[in-house]
Amino acid sequence: MAEPSFYDDLETRSADQRAGEQGAALRDILAGVTEAPEDWRAAAAEVQGAEDLPRLPVLRKSDLGKWQKERPPFGGIRVSNVNYIFQSPGPIYEPGSLGTDWWRMGRFLHAAGIGSTDIVQNCFGYHLTPAGHMFESGARAVGATVLPAGTGQTELQVEAAQHVAATAYAGTPDYLKVILEKADALGVKLGIVKAAVGGGALFPSLRQYYQDGGIACLQCYATADLGNIAYESAAMEGMIVDEGVIVEIVTPGTGDPVAPGEVGEVVVTSLNRDYPLIRFATGDLSAVMPGQSPCGRTNQRIKGWMGRADQTTKIKGMFVRPEQVAQLVAAHAEVSKARVIASRTGEQDVMTVRIESAGGDADTYAQSVASLLKLKGKVEVVSPGSLPKDGLVIEDQRSYE
């Protein structure tokens, strides 16, 4: 077997070295956030490393949207080296830069085997969205040539791929299949043998389809705000956290870390000095995987996308949010976890609240439920550790078919 090829020495750091170097970068970034409220800066001054980040509140897209309306375009967040302003639904505006691999996508493309001998057909969008620019920046970082194809016009995509002899594809997981099927219909043989995908789920059957066609397809987990968060290597055992971010897995609706291996919301701190996002909640669910990747990269691994953390659900005409469930747990010191279950009896909604507690009065909890969730519901007290560890704090059991 060929020796593994690493993008740089950061990928094989020891845990202690990584923690020390990321801690120093984190402290430097936090010290530079002078526009934050005084209480936030006081808490940030106590942060020495990743383990101290729960001292700080979680930042959500809704916060960014509110701030940006008040102080456009970036909500008063200090940014530097900005060459682009992108727009995502909301609208939310994100900065971008021509700086060297600003979104850190080169690490992923290198892991996908893409390098200086490749011509990458980049089928991510270039209009308003940063995705096309993100992958193009990564391709430049690994020395690849880019065909900035964008989306749509599939027949032209096939023609271009054939004429320039594209060897690699970048885009959403399913669009490559559309291109390949069009090529088959036209009787054209393409030379694409590598694919770096993102922006959607890569289902096992689709990966197998590409593999059967001689295409090695790997996926990354990235966002417009943060750039690359985690990526697959050829080992295809989980996703390796990028070296430029710190990832936490927390209970949805809170900033509290879950136990190792439990499912929770992905919260990311970017070590990008040009646009520091501290404890940014992605709204996605995942879990930490134990151990290191067989490929030799030593950073933390996550299981990839496992659903959405925003479990806001309407029950009896009222929205119940994960933040409210978190308030319910915080209101009682003996309560370790709670789960709201929405169901139907006849034609009426039913709300059941299961509360993990070593002891406690269901009637007292019911009063808190009515006060904090603004709804009355049945309360069931269960023993600590008995609720599922699947990241859900609100479970909707109603059928919508």
Side-chain angles (χ1 to χ4, degrees):
M1 181 181 293
E3 287 293 319
S5 171
F6 301 114
Y7 187 68
D8 56 28
D9 291 340
L10 297 181
E11 295 183 349
T12 54
R13 289 182 287 184
S14 69
D16 288 345
Q17 182 184 1
R18 180 175 290 108
E21 292 173 354
Q22 288 190 338
L26 177 61
R27 293 192 298 272
D28 180 58
I29 287 172
L30 293 176
V33 184
T34 57
E35 69 277 8
E38 184 177 349
D39 57 345
W40 189 96
R41 286 185 281 120
E46 301 297 319
V47 174
Q48 296 299 305
E51 67 281 359
D52 298 322
L53 280 170
R55 296 172 180 261
L56 300 175
V58 166
L59 171 63
R60 298 192 176 276
K61 269 191 180 290
S62 57
D63 298 323
L64 277 184
K66 177 183 176 183
W67 296 352
Q68 289 183 0
K69 288 179 181 178
E70 296 171 350
R71 300 179 64 184
F74 303 123
I77 295 177
R78 175 183 54 82
V79 300
S80 56
N81 299 317
V82 175
N83 302 113
Y84 300 107
I85 297 177
F86 299 103
Q87 185 195 74
S88 293
I92 298 289
Y93 293 94
E94 301 100 5
S97 176
L98 291 168
T100 304
D101 200 14
W102 200 77
W103 293 276
R104 307 176 314 281
M105 299 305 299
R107 190 177 303 283
F108 165 51
L109 296 185
H110 178 83
I114 296 173
S116 60
T117 61
D118 286 299
I119 297 174
V120 180
Q121 185 148 344
N122 186 4
C123 294
F124 280 107
Y126 280 80
H127 177 62
L128 288 180
T129 172
H133 298 272
M134 289 167 65
F135 275 76
E136 181 171 308
S137 176
R140 288 199 305 268
V142 298
T145 301
V146 176
L147 173 65
T151 59
Q153 302 185 87
T154 309
E155 190 165 328
L156 286 178
Q157 297 269 8
V158 172
E159 181 181 301
Q162 180 189 33
H163 288 172
V164 306
T167 58
Y169 163 89
T172 56
D174 52 353
Y175 188 52
L176 175 57
K177 187 172 187 285
V178 174
I179 293 174
L180 295 175
E181 289 176 341
K182 175 62 73 172
D184 288 342
L186 295 172
V188 174
K189 176 64 176 176
L190 299 182
I192 295 173
V193 294
K194 304 169 188 176
V197 303
L202 174 59
F203 294 101
S205 58
L206 186 57
R207 195 200 297 266
Q208 188 63 51
Y209 171 86
Y210 294 140
Q211 185 174 324
D212 292 344
I215 299 173
C217 183
L218 297 180
Q219 63 183 324
C220 73
Y221 171 36
T223 72
D225 321 87
L226 297 158
N228 193 26
I229 298 170
Y231 61 98
E232 287 184 325
S233 71
M236 289 193 293
E237 290 192 13
M239 304 186 84
I240 303 159
V241 172
D242 183 74
E243 299 295 334
V245 297
I246 297 171
V247 168
E248 302 171 79
I249 307 294
V250 307
T251 301
T254 79
D256 302 328
V258 301
E262 287 191 15
V263 178
E265 183 176 11
V266 179
V267 170
V268 182
T269 294
S270 170
L271 300 178
N272 181 352
R273 289 176 172 80
D274 290 340
Y275 186 48
L277 290 177
I278 311 301
R279 302 203 81 203
F280 187 75
T282 63
D284 296 321
L285 293 175
S286 192
V288 171
M289 292 180 65
Q292 296 177 359
S293 172
C295 71
R297 293 171 176 85
T298 58
N299 205 354
Q300 177 189 52
R301 293 180 298 166
I302 59 176
K303 292 184 178 179
W305 189 81
M306 300 176 70
R308 290 292 293 173
D310 185 5
Q311 301 157 28
T312 298
T313 303
K314 185 176 281 188
I315 307 173
K316 300 180 183 179
M318 295 287 290
F319 281 111
V320 178
R321 306 179 187 278
E323 292 88 343
Q324 293 171 288
V325 183
Q327 291 170 0
L328 174 64
V329 173
H332 300 276
E334 73 281 7
V335 173
S336 55
K337 187 182 291 187
R339 187 183 188 101
V340 171
I341 300 171
S343 58
R344 297 275 288 178
T345 296
E347 296 301 319
Q348 292 187 333
D349 285 347
V350 176
M351 183 177 76
T352 303
V353 184
R354 291 184 180 148
I355 294 177
E356 279 192 4
S357 175
D361 180 58
D363 291 337
T364 300
Y365 295 146
Q367 293 175 18
S368 294
V369 167
S371 173
L372 295 172
L373 275 59
K374 312 304 181 186
L375 286 172
K376 292 183 179 179
K378 178 183 177 182
V379 172
E380 298 177 355
V381 180
V382 299
S383 59
S386 59
L387 290 179
K389 297 177 175 61
D390 56 6
L392 291 181
V393 294
I394 302 174
E395 178 185 357
D396 194 347
Q397 296 181 346
R398 296 169 293 187
S399 173
Y400 294 90
E401 296 181 357

